[in-house]
Amino acid sequence: MANDFSDATLEGEVIPDDRSLPAAPVLPPELYLLPLTEKPFFPAQTLPLLMNEAPWLSTVEAIGETPQHMVGLVVVKPDDTDDVKRGDFQAVGTAVRIHHPVRADGKMQFIAEGVRRFRVVEWLSDTPPYRVRVEYPNETGKPESEEIRAYSIAIINTIKDLLPLNPLYSEELKFFLNRFGPSEPSRLTDFAASLTTASKLELQDVLEAFSLKKRMEKVLVLLKKELDVARLQSQIRERVDEKMSEQQREFFLRQQLKAIQKELGIAKDDKTAELDTFRERIAKLALPEQAKKRIDEEMHKLSMLETGSAEYTVTRNYLDWLTVLPWGVHTQDKIDLERARRILDRDHDGLDDVKDRIIEFLAVGAMRGEMAGSILLLIGPPGVGKTSIGKSIAEALGRKFFRFSVGGMRDEAEIKGHRRTYIGAMPGKFVQALKEAGSANPVIMLDEVDKIGASYQGDPASALLEVLDPEQNADFLDHYLDVRFDLSKALFICTANDFSIPSALLDRMEVIRLSGYITAEKIDIAKHHLWPRVLERAGLKKNQLTITESALRHVIEGYAREAGVRNLEKQLGRVARKAVVKILGGADTPIKIGVREIEAYLDKPVFVRERPLSGVGVVTGLAWTAMGGATLPVEATRVHTLNRGFKLTGKLGEVMRESAEIAYSYVASHLKDYGADRSFFDTSFVHLHVPEGATPKDGPSAGVTMASALLSLAKNAKIARPVAMTGELTLTGQVLPVGGIREKVIAARRVGISELILPEANRRDFDKLPAHIRAGLTVHFAKRYREVAEVAFG
């Protein structure tokens, strides 16, 4: 074998092996080692091997200088031969003879002819090229014995069973029989082991078996596993092929059946069946002329198109929408005022003024004979029952109900649909509502209309104008349908938390305000609605868990003081869940919930009873927020007397700052009229603060409150008794009306203030309040600030 492995060797050059070597070479006592990573090399094998040139070139060059041109191939533990250490080599390998070495592209390739097993006795080098002293143990066992012959026959029969399952085995068997005879059990066993796909360690175990019988036992087990895997793969392949052929057969039979049925006239193809379906739908509808003409055109177009074309699918979907809409289909209104009142009372406690307003609205519809052309806006804090009132109105009228939220909606196409030029185009929400309701006069609720958005995709709020305007929606045009539909018979109900609605949209609505609940109303709601619902959700029966009225009051006043009842339901749910844990733990039922248990279940109250602030320069005002009414204390103090100055704090908006400046100017110019030192502000630096500085506040209704705080400071006199006030103040001392009177009155009752000062112009708003809200209150109405000062300071 030539040993020229220098860089001068041409790429792809074949270095001839030494043909003069004897056929049975003498086994050398020392060998150089090359690593194998995938599986061991067996003596019965002759295979080409490919290795990286860089780490093993020196080893191959050293092999070329040996007289026998033999090397030891040994399995190593790592999966990469480029970084192999002495300790990675196994103790047993195969001595092979190298033929036809070739170098190309940084790789070395040669044909390895297996000769004999060896065992490493001593390491002669610790770095490449690795050189070891070896021994060649003799095999134990008599090849001619009956037992060995029986194992050989078993191996040969197993190989025969493998041949039909994998044609690759037959090629390897032919190569083996060309070199060895079937009567050589050792070679046969090694060949059989090389056929399997066993793991590296399993095959190494076979290689290390020098006992022929033991090795044949191990190989027979591996062959049996290989046969089982091959049979399983064959079965899976057959099942897949069978399934595919069955599906193809069914497909062809179905196509033939369709053709036969069509010839006999007893069946229709898909296109004809769909056209007939559309015709059946049309027959049940009262189509306007424009819609009928468009549908006829699209039906003719569909009949001309091929079913596999994209245009066919678009047209079919368009016809599906056109024919599924309730053209001319209306439900009969059940306008019975007594029945409507029973439904409203059943579903809602309190809200008597709201119920009266809804009954008036229904009465007008009954007088006209229809409920068309109406848009209600239910406006109030979260959790006061706006959505459920809409459902009750729909039930009272006997109409279908459809609700969707427009909160955060930024795409005009959500309202008026996509044009059919878009892929995946769909009609807008209102057409979808008509389809689901199945009538042209449903009750459609638009939730969170005050939170509708706008973006580069259009302004949905403006798109709502056409839908909600009674003068326009009789000819509503959806971009997808491109056919006008009459929405004038539908009843639209919108909900919002505040009036941040475009004025053009608000102008088209009839506003009904829901101001929130007082404690007595919340107790009734909790008894009749919330507590039964909480028990049902917790899987409890009424006789397993009860709650006292005093406990309900404690939850309302201590944990859920907001205007609505959503948080109240959450707190009751917490109580029920803790009770369920006790019941499952073996507690006796019924469990009775009192005030003491409430604090044990819900910890200490979140809210303590507010006591109105008092003192010089401190006055309690009333404010309206989107969450309901609230008390608004205002504090004024003199910082120093070095110079004149006025400072405002409390995260106040622009309007509220202007109100404070007006109050300061008015009080400073009328100190003598109210019995105060007229020069008080000339040498005083005054600081006016509205507590809860992290909460934004704005609006003119705190004008009289700020003026009273400044006057209290100037007079060095505190308010005579707990009084809450609201009203806008002008520079001439007039008290102008403000909004949110109901919410503000409820807020005053909540903190225990029974004496109020309101603008005279708001007297009618107070008189409209339910009697149970007005009961026990002393209210003073003022046209000018002098009347406010007389009440406040006596």
Side-chain angles (χ1 to χ4, degrees), residues 80 88 115 155 172 199 275 297 378 412 462 491 520 527 594 598 669-670 739 766 790:
D80 185 7
D88 296 331
V115 178
I155 290 174
E172 294 192 27
S199 68
L275 287 169
E297 291 173 356
L378 304 176
E412 178 186 339
S462 299
L491 173 60
K527 284 181 182 177
I598 290 296
S669 61
H670 293 81
F766 179 80
E790 288 175 359

Side-chain angles (χ1 to χ4, degrees), residues 71 88 152 218 282 356 386 445 569 644 668 673 696 751 793:
V71 66
D88 296 331
S152 298
K218 294 178 181 290
I282 294 168
D356 292 340
K386 301 184 291 296
M445 172 164 276
E569 185 174 2
R644 183 186 184 104
D673 299 341
V751 298
F793 298 102

